[in-house]
Amino acid sequence: MASLNLISEYKSFGGKLGFYSHHSSTCNGEMRFAVYQPPQATQKPVPILYFLSGLTCTEENFMAKAGGVQRFAAEYGLILVAPDTSPRNTGITGEDDDWDFGTGAGFYVDATEEPWRQHYQMYSYVVQELPALITANFPAQPEKQGIFGHSMGGHGALVCAMRNPELYKSVSAFAPITAPMRCPWGQKAFSGYLGNNQESWRAYDASELVKKVGYHSPILIDQGIADKFLAEQLLPEVFEQACADINQPLNLRYQEGYDHSYYFIASFIEDHIRHHAIALLK
Ligand SMILES: N[C@@H](CCC(=O)N[C@@H](CS)C(=O)NCC(=O)O)C(=O)O
């Protein structure tokens, strides 16, 4: 397995926050991620909680802007892992042209279309390569993983968890894109990465997936009512209906006055960490 390159490291709430780069065989180039190791990890292996960020983000946004999330990871004894949102500097023509496609917008899918498929394999990266790296390099309990995310990353978390219920004991999301096949962001990304055959899109659409496979545990979602992307892009009501159709337990909380920003995430991060800790520390 390729070695990790430590870019920077900070002590935080008694634990350690590190930023890393490595050669990814899945994405065929350099990838970056951040890892917070709680103080407990110096004594014993601990559970792992993955956070997938939204459009335009890097591996840093969550660690810097989620309201001191390290405090709660330290309290419960969880490793936090935040990958970047796409490959970068791949040399693909046009990769930096749009903020909602290409760089910073990998959508957590395995691209099948040229020219993206050589590098944009974010689904396999998040589900397979990254967890293998974390287990090999950090005091982690690989059988205890949870996953959550924001917006595009909320979509990614729901999809990764529902497609791999044995790998993820818990899932939650902030303002997720819940029905990407029906919204402009999702349609643009899926046609670019997956092509025009919409049958191949279903495996990456939370509202389609949940009807097919469900999930073994209650799903927690927080959604701000003042989020400017709510009505056109996020469509939580579609996911809510799909969950209701199959009796999937869903705790969808509409939060009055909150927008799409990290100030919203920071306001409810403690509840999400607790949601995962309950499942992971059993
Ligand atoms: N660039 C977009 C907004 C992109 C956006 O809101 N990104 C969210 C995720 S979907 C985010 O977390 N941005 C980074 C940040 O706030 O730190 C716009 O102009 O409307």
Side-chain angles (χ1 to χ4, degrees):
M1 191 175 291
S3 59
L4 295 183
N5 170 40
L6 179 65
I7 298 166
S8 58
E9 193 169 65
Y10 308 90
K11 186 164 184 181
S12 181
F13 293 99
K16 225 168 25 180
L17 172 62
F19 290 88
Y20 300 86
S21 66
H22 70 106
H23 176 81
S24 163
S25 54
T26 308
C27 294
N28 193 17
E30 186 190 88
M31 289 296 293
R32 293 184 173 215
F33 59 82
V35 176
Y36 176 69
Q37 300 177 68
Q40 294 87 335
T42 59
Q43 309 296 322
K44 61 177 194 321
V46 300
I48 318 153
L49 181 54
Y50 293 86
F51 185 88
L52 306 182
S53 287
L55 293 165
T56 74
C57 288
T58 69
E59 68 284 1
E60 190 183 13
N61 295 64
F62 175 69
M63 292 299 185
K65 297 175 73 175
V69 62
Q70 294 82 7
R71 175 195 294 273
F72 306 115
E75 186 180 317
Y76 289 104
L78 304 175
I79 285 182
L80 297 174
V81 180
D84 200 352
T85 53
S86 76
R88 290 174 196 269
N89 307 309
T90 62
I92 296 174
T93 307
E95 67 182 333
D96 297 331
D97 287 359
D98 293 348
W99 63 270
D100 55 1
F101 186 76
T103 304
F107 264 87
Y108 308 102
V109 303
D110 286 345
T112 52
E113 294 301 291
E114 298 292 347
W116 308 100
R117 58 193 290 263
Q118 279 76 12
H119 300 285
Y120 280 67
Q121 300 292 319
M122 288 299 290
Y123 174 75
S124 292
Y125 177 72
V126 166
V127 170
Q128 290 165 9
E129 186 176 4
L130 183 59
L133 268 176
I134 297 300
T135 305
N137 290 281
F138 299 92
Q141 288 179 286
E143 73 286 3
K144 299 215 164 180
Q145 300 192 122
I147 191 162
F148 66 152
H150 173 224
S151 195
M152 172 183 75
H155 137 77
L158 291 169
V159 166
C160 290
M162 285 194 280
R163 287 177 60 166
N164 304 278
E166 72 292 354
L167 296 182
Y168 301 103
K169 299 219 173 309
S170 52
V171 67
S172 74
F174 298 93
I177 301 170
T178 63
M181 294 179 70
R182 304 195 201 187
C183 79
W185 279 342
Q187 290 164 350
K188 177 174 177 176
F190 287 7
S191 47
Y193 296 133
L194 304 174
N196 290 327
N197 178 3
Q198 299 207 358
E199 275 315 302
S200 67
W201 299 10
R202 289 183 198 281
Y204 294 109
D205 184 295
S207 297
E208 294 291 324
L209 266 176
V210 75
K211 284 188 282 194
K212 237 170 110 181
V213 299
Y215 188 64
H216 51 56
S217 304
I219 297 170
L220 171 64
I221 293 181
D222 274 308
Q223 174 62 61
I225 292 177
D227 185 328
K228 68 176 174 180
F229 300 117
L230 174 54
E232 193 189 4
Q233 304 281 10
L234 306 175
L235 314 180
E237 67 283 359
V238 176
F239 188 65
E240 186 176 32
Q241 184 61 53
C243 288
D245 288 349
I246 62 145
N247 293 321
Q248 167 65 46
L250 168 69
N251 185 7
L252 170 58
R253 310 191 303 185
Y254 283 101
Q255 305 290 3
E256 194 170 341
Y258 288 91
D259 66 11
H260 197 64
S261 69
Y262 270 88
Y263 295 110
F264 155 65
I265 296 176
S267 305
F268 300 101
I269 192 71
E270 186 176 4
D271 289 356
H272 284 247
I273 298 288
R274 192 182 306 111
H275 169 84
H276 291 279
I278 288 168
L280 296 172
L281 296 172
K282 267 198 223 164

